[in-house]
Amino acid sequence: MQVESLLGRLTVLSLCLLLVSCSATQFSASTPTSARDLGRYVLIIERASDGQVVHSWRPVQDFDLTAYPHPVTTRVVHERIVHVAFNRNCEDERDACEDMCMASLKSKDWSHMSTGAKKQHCIRACMQSYLDCSRLKELAQGGTVKFHAMDQAVDWVKQNRESLMVGTLVVIAGVTFVVLTGGSGGFLLLAPVVMLASYDTASELRSLAVMP
Amino acid sequence: MTNPLILSDAQQTIGRRWNNGQSLEQARILGLARDALDFVSATGQWYPFDDYRVSGWHHGSPPAADERSTRLHEQLRKTEAFFEELLNDPTAADEQPAIQAILDALRFISSTRQHEAFAHFLEHLESNAPPYVMAAFDTREEAEAWLQKHPSPPLFAEVLICNKPHDVVYDRETNFRRLPWNRRLHQYLAWLEEFNPPDAEASFSTLEEAEAWRMRQPHPANPTWVEVACEFYLAVYYSNINHRALFPMSMAVRDSKELKSS
């Protein structure tokens, strides 16, 4: 079984869920209200017609997942996650960011400041991109990004949607989600690992039929 | 959490009022506000400061201990009064959040009774010393252990590991902690090489001899050049952590145009 068939299965599932997301109006609006609910939802990130990146939560029961008769364990899912090599150097990027920042502080508004104080500004200005880079690096190295708050996790996933790779794990309020579609197209789908644990590769494609 | 760039907005608000023809008093007031914001950031107190802003926690100022702190108290009071007035100035209405951040920084220093630490910081700035550091470690392992155990690592502060500069990176929401290297000390040495060209105050054959000489100096406040085995070193004393360091001139990077021009 293995990795290939699992990935194939995930791809089919992803396409199916993509179809679901394209017909969003067929679903009643709902959102998990507590951490306990999270494991019963799928998170979708996409670009709306006005260009804005939006997210939505879709209940797992909107999908016919019960047709998968042979559960796999969460541990097996973990083992099958494929990570792409990460070749960015976050420290070098940060250094370059601070250099660019320093070079940009030529206006009168900054003329009262010493080099040290300007540097402090540039550390602050470059901090978020360094944090984002470092977290992605951890993901690529097999780590997991963890969030305690749902909103914060959603914001982070939106910001990093282009870089997130299939198989990336994101823990939201204690529930582990896995990225099922690549981020390059701007569309991203995350499903609770526990949901995938009820699938099996031997399942027929018809099992992926979506409940309206 | 507030975006830490509010400190940068506040610096720009000060910069817009800074001009070469200003009175000495105006320069003192604006300069103190600038340094108060810098102090909050460089000493790694962003999170305590942000908590203070949210909770409005006040302790009141302690009585002045000596002449130096009396002057600082007075200067802080004048600076606060200046920005209180500016806060109510209708022409500065769009700068209110930044002005409020300046007032909060001044009040934070007073309320948390950090006059002495702030006075040290101001002395450090005046002596054209290297970037301020909040801790120094002999090994990477020691530094990592400190970082992992720290209840609230000083975000935006610098530390020395084997006398090499590193930044403290800490994200409270995710408990992300790192100590990435930085080049600021290297750039500083390049700047100092032009500003205060090496002229050794003393020469030694070994680093140990130089260290021993350094330990005997009664007031090691200002950075001093020394020569050890035909290489220049900058001898620096960090009074806030009682740490003496010798930085070799060979650490300097000389490609940083923005530093040389500032």
Side-chain angles (χ1 to χ4, degrees):
Chain A
M1 89 146 238
Q2 337 237 12
V3 170
E4 291 77 10
S5 56
L6 175 88
L7 287 176
R9 178 165 54 80
L10 292 183
T11 306
V12 173
L13 173 67
S14 306
L15 289 171
C16 246
L17 294 178
L18 180 61
L19 287 172
V20 173
S21 75
C22 292
S23 53
T25 50
Q26 295 177 22
F27 296 91
S28 57
S30 64
T31 305
T33 52
S34 69
R36 213 187 307 172
D37 281 351
L38 273 177
R40 297 197 287 269
Y41 283 79
V42 169
L43 173 62
I44 294 166
I45 308 283
E46 59 196 325
R47 193 175 286 283
S49 53
D50 63 358
Q52 286 202 336
V53 177
V54 295
H55 77 276
S56 54
W57 293 94
R58 302 283 164 75
V60 166
Q61 66 262 29
D62 285 348
F63 309 96
D64 183 12
L65 305 177
T66 55
Y68 295 85
H70 307 293
V72 293
T73 67
T74 303
R75 186 174 154 271
V76 176
V77 173
H78 272 270
E79 283 172 357
R80 289 173 184 159
I81 288 165
V82 177
H83 293 287
V84 176
F86 186 89
N87 55 10
R88 289 167 64 186
N89 183 322
C90 301
E91 281 70 31
D92 281 352
E93 285 184 19
R94 177 171 169 274
D95 204 33
C97 173
E98 289 183 11
D99 277 355
M100 282 173 61
C101 170
M102 285 297 281
S104 71
L105 304 180
K106 301 292 184 199
S107 78
K108 179 187 173 300
D109 290 1
W110 304 99
S111 62
H112 66 298
M113 287 167 72
S114 67
T115 301
K118 286 180 186 171
K119 276 285 181 187
Q120 274 294 319
H121 157 70
C122 291
I123 297 172
R124 293 190 292 268
C126 295
M127 185 60 75
Q128 192 57 52
S129 56
Y130 174 70
L131 286 173
D132 289 345
C133 178
S134 300
R135 283 182 194 145
L136 285 173
K137 186 177 178 181
E138 287 199 344
L139 289 175
Q141 289 170 345
T144 305
V145 181
K146 294 183 179 178
F147 294 95
H148 301 299
M150 212 162 71
D151 292 348
Q152 192 197 15
V154 170
D155 287 346
W156 187 87
V157 172
K158 280 181 184 171
Q159 283 166 15
N160 294 283
R161 68 189 183 285
E162 301 284 339
S163 323
L164 284 174
M165 296 158 287
V166 170
T168 297
L169 293 180
V170 181
V171 178
I172 305 173
V175 179
T176 305
F177 286 74
V178 60
V179 176
L180 294 182
T181 62
S184 58
F187 177 84
L188 211 59
L189 192 142
L190 289 89
V193 166
V194 66
M195 180 188 92
L196 294 176
S198 65
Y199 285 23
D200 183 76
T201 51
S203 302
E204 299 295 331
L205 287 181
R206 60 181 169 74
S207 306
L208 290 169
V210 176
M211 296 287 279
Chain B
M1 188 191 79
T2 319
N3 188 330
L5 287 173
I6 186 70
L7 297 175
S8 305
D9 294 344
Q11 288 287 15
Q12 287 179 280
T13 285
I14 296 166
R16 281 191 279 277
R17 283 158 185 83
W18 186 276
N19 64 73
N20 292 332
Q22 67 194 349
S23 68
L24 189 59
E25 185 61 14
Q26 174 95 349
R28 276 200 192 121
I29 284 170
L30 296 179
L32 196 72
R34 169 197 63 201
D35 296 340
L37 293 165
D38 198 17
F39 173 77
V40 168
S41 193
T43 55
Q45 299 192 74
W46 164 256
Y47 280 121
F49 173 64
D50 192 41
D51 292 343
Y52 167 83
R53 278 165 60 83
V54 172
S55 68
W57 174 59
H58 289 273
H59 270 322
S61 306
D66 56 30
E67 194 189 333
R68 186 181 66 174
S69 36
T70 308
R71 275 207 311 276
L72 185 57
H73 273 267
E74 181 62 15
Q75 210 52 47
L76 280 166
R77 195 192 55 74
K78 279 185 189 169
T79 308
E80 204 175 314
F82 175 90
F83 285 99
E84 274 168 358
E85 196 175 319
L86 192 61
L87 191 65
N88 297 317
D89 184 342
T91 62
D94 56 342
E95 293 179 285
Q96 276 194 353
I99 297 167
Q100 188 60 55
I102 295 168
L103 281 167
D104 289 342
L106 297 166
R107 289 168 183 163
F108 173 71
I109 292 169
S110 297
S111 297
T112 51
R113 307 180 180 201
Q114 296 193 67
H115 300 86
E116 195 180 340
F118 187 38
H120 271 140
F121 183 76
L122 294 175
E123 276 175 13
H124 184 86
L125 295 182
E126 282 163 19
S127 65
N128 284 319
Y132 205 65
V133 299
M134 293 303 288
F137 305 96
D138 293 332
T139 65
R140 181 88 206 179
E141 290 69 31
E142 201 186 318
E144 288 292 346
W146 167 83
L147 179 71
Q148 295 309 324
K149 282 183 193 154
H150 204 295
S152 179
L155 171 66
F156 301 131
E158 288 193 43
V159 298
L160 292 174
I161 303 175
C162 306
N163 279 339
K164 303 252 179 353
H166 292 73
D167 286 320
V168 178
V169 172
Y170 170 52
D171 182 32
R172 191 158 67 180
E173 298 301 318
T174 56
N175 198 27
F176 182 88
R177 299 167 183 228
R178 283 289 180 284
L179 292 171
W181 54 267
N182 72 53
R183 289 188 307 148
R184 282 183 283 283
L185 180 62
H186 308 66
Q187 292 164 333
Y188 162 83
L189 286 169
W191 168 81
L192 193 68
E193 195 179 17
E194 283 201 352
F195 176 80
N196 176 16
D199 180 13
E201 197 168 290
S203 297
F204 307 95
S205 316
T206 64
L207 273 175
E208 288 71 28
E209 283 178 29
E211 295 276 7
W213 170 83
R214 192 68 187 152
M215 294 296 277
R216 291 195 301 273
Q217 298 305 297
H219 298 293
N222 292 330
T224 311
W225 290 113
V226 296
E227 197 177 346
V228 181
C230 301
E231 190 182 358
F232 283 112
Y233 284 76
L234 188 71
V236 177
Y237 175 63
Y238 293 95
S239 63
N240 61 319
I241 55 170
N242 192 27
H243 177 72
R244 290 171 169 81
L246 284 169
F247 299 124
M249 194 66 233
S250 56
M251 276 177 82
V253 289
R254 299 173 178 83
D255 59 350
S256 190
K257 288 175 191 163
E258 76 276 6
L259 279 160
K260 290 182 178 179
S261 65
S262 57

